[in-house]
């Protein structure tokens, strides 16, 4: 396509896996100053739109508003500009992000990118929708892919990948939620979930007057953890370190038993948790994704069973008030939202990513008062001529000898009562004959 002498080259594919996007980034980096657009459609291709400016992309595409996407995996213009700051992104931008499946519910990009902007750091934080953690990390192995928040279901995979370069707490928990690529290329693993969650629960007990021990409000209390994954391990480990008595309930009893044995706790089948009431005043901590958007009416335990608990914590933070927490409030228990854990673990991650303390107030404000989304509309009046290309496709042209179509890119400008097509630039876009309807013309402003 470059060899045709086109003014702008556009290459669009569909990513079946997030590692496919690396080929698009390579394509953009080879442009050598030639105006080039490279994008990958689909959910796993979103980072091609978010990171296009870093790799020299001529432009990227955004929807006018949520629900008006013209292609799969397309973010809104508002998010591109206000959250990901694409206008200030360049080749030196350091990339961090959240790795998981699912991942697009995460508020991490809003939180961390506000922190980067507040300190004027040339960093960006993006969501990585990943199917194979180890393969993803091996493909995106450049030094400017610096820091990774690891969420469900990859915290144990991250522990294995980091090998012996895992901090003491993360090793004791058996789960890593933060991976840092060091200058020598080695990966180091940390766990910020533990301190983030347990400190939030302890403060909840203190502020409600339920703290009865000056050493730790959790000392000697019965601490029940739902879930035996990475977050569950962090909660069980942290509670045991604070001298609480721990019990672990999980849908898979064998996993509950394994975790319980590792921290000297009791294992419970999740189906029997409703009848587990050895005493009152217990602490309940849900580490599973039950109740997360969109299944907001679900809860891991019935409301009636909550009567034995004085405090209920839910690691889920979307929504902020889950069904579990609503039920806890109704029966009179103290509720602690996963949002507070999310803040605290993110502040610690921010320092690992950047080497400087997080601007906590600015980051909290990012979620408490996010930018108001505006519904995109076309101008009501005809604006004066401008000098930027409007996204337009012309599928009228000639087929070459190989049966591939060379189409044109049309630069159009609004002018008086209609459109002024001031010039046509040759557009080196090749399409299969079967994909191009003859005589069609589509223009999007």
């Amino acid at each position: 396509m470059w060899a045709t002498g086109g003014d702008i080259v556009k290459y669009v594919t569909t990513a079946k896996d997030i590692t496919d996007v690396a080929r698009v980034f390579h394509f953009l980096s080879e442009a050598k100053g030639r105006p080039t657009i490279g994008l990958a459609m689909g959910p796993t291709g979103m980072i091609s739109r978010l990171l296009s400016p870093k790799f020299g992309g001529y432009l990227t595409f955004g929807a006018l508003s949520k629900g008006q996407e013209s292609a799969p995996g397309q973010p809104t213009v508002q998010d591109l500009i206000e959250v990901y700051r694409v206008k200030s992104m360049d080749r030196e931008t350091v990339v961090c992000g959240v790795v998981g499946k699912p991942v697009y519910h995460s508020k991490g990009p809003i939180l961390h990118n506000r922190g980067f902007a507040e300190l004027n750091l040339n960093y960006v934080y993006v969501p990585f929708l990943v199917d194979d953690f180890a393969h993803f990390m091996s493909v995106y192995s450049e030094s400017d892919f610096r820091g990774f928040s690891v969420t469900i279901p990859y915290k144990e995979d991250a522990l294995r990948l980091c090998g012996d370069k895992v901090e003491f707490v993360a090793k004791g928990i058996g789960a890593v939620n933060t991976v840092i690529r060091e200058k020598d290329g080695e990966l180091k693993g940390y766990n910020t979930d533990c301190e983030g969650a347990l400190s939030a629960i302890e403060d909840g007990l203190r502020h409600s007057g339920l703290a009865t021990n000056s050493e730790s409000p959790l000392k000697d209390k019965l601490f029940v953890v739902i879930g035996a994954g990475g977050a569950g391990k962090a909660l069980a480990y942290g509670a045991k370190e604070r001298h609480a008595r721990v019990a672990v309930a999980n849908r898979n009893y064998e996993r509950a038993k394994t975790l319980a044995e590792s921290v000297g706790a009791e294992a419970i089948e999740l189906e029997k948790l409703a009848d587990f009431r050895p005493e009152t005043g217990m602490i309940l901590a849900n580490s599973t994704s039950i109740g997360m958007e969109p299944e907001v009416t679900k809860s891991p335990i019935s409301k009636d069973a909550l009567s034995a608990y004085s405090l209920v914590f839910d690691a889920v933070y979307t929504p902020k008030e889950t069904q579990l927490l609503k039920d806890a409030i109704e029966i009179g228990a103290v509720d602690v939202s996963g949002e507070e854990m999310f803040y605290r673990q993110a502040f610690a991650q921010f320092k690992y990513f950047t080497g400087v303390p997080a601007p906590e107030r600015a980051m909290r404000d990012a979620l408490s008062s996010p930018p108001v989304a505006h519904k995109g509309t076309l101008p009501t009046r005809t604006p004066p001529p401008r000098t930027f290309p409007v996204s337009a496709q012309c599928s009228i042209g000639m087929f070459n000898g190989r049966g591939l179509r060379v189409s044109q890119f049309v630069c159009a400008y609004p002018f008086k009562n209609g459109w002024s097509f001031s010039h046509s630039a040759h557009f080196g876009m090749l399409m299969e004959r079967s994909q191009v309807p003859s005589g069609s013309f589509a223009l999007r402003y």
Side-chain angles (χ1 to χ4, degrees), residues 271-313:
E271 293 77 13
K272 297 180 179 180
L273 183 59
D275 298 321
F276 180 76
R277 305 185 189 191
E279 60 187 72
T280 59
M282 299 186 292
I283 309 298
L284 180 68
N286 174 44
S287 71
T288 73
S289 60
I290 299 173
M292 182 186 292
E293 292 177 349
E295 298 179 326
V296 296
T297 61
K298 292 188 175 182
S299 175
I301 187 173
S302 68
K303 181 166 68 173
D304 292 340
L306 294 177
S307 60
Y309 298 92
S310 60
L311 181 145
V312 176
F313 165 80

Side-chain angles (χ1 to χ4, degrees), residues 59 79 148 191 323 421:
L59 58 80
D79 284 348
F148 306 89
N191 190 296
Q323 186 62 50
F421 295 88

Side-chain angles (χ1 to χ4, degrees), residues 218-266:
L218 290 175
K219 187 176 181 181
D220 298 326
K221 290 191 178 293
L222 184 53
F223 191 97
V224 180
V225 179
I226 301 178
K233 289 180 177 181
L235 285 161
Y237 177 89
K240 196 67 177 180
E241 286 289 297
R242 288 162 172 78
H243 306 291
R245 294 171 291 129
V246 179
V248 179
N250 193 59
R251 197 171 280 145
N252 183 322
Y253 178 71
E254 289 305 315
R255 285 190 61 124
K257 189 176 178 182
T258 299
L259 173 55
E261 289 174 351
S262 70
V263 297
E266 180 180 356

Side-chain angles (χ1 to χ4, degrees), residues 57-75:
Y58 178 66
L59 58 80
T60 188
F61 294 85
L64 288 175
S65 65
K66 193 170 181 62
Q68 291 188 312
E69 297 86 354
S70 60
Q74 193 176 77

Side-chain angles (χ1 to χ4, degrees), residues 389-408:
V390 176
S391 175
Q393 280 183 233
C394 175
S395 58
I396 302 173
M398 299 293 294
F399 286 97
N400 65 16
R402 292 178 295 163
L404 296 175
R405 183 179 192 77
V406 181
S407 79
Q408 292 180 309

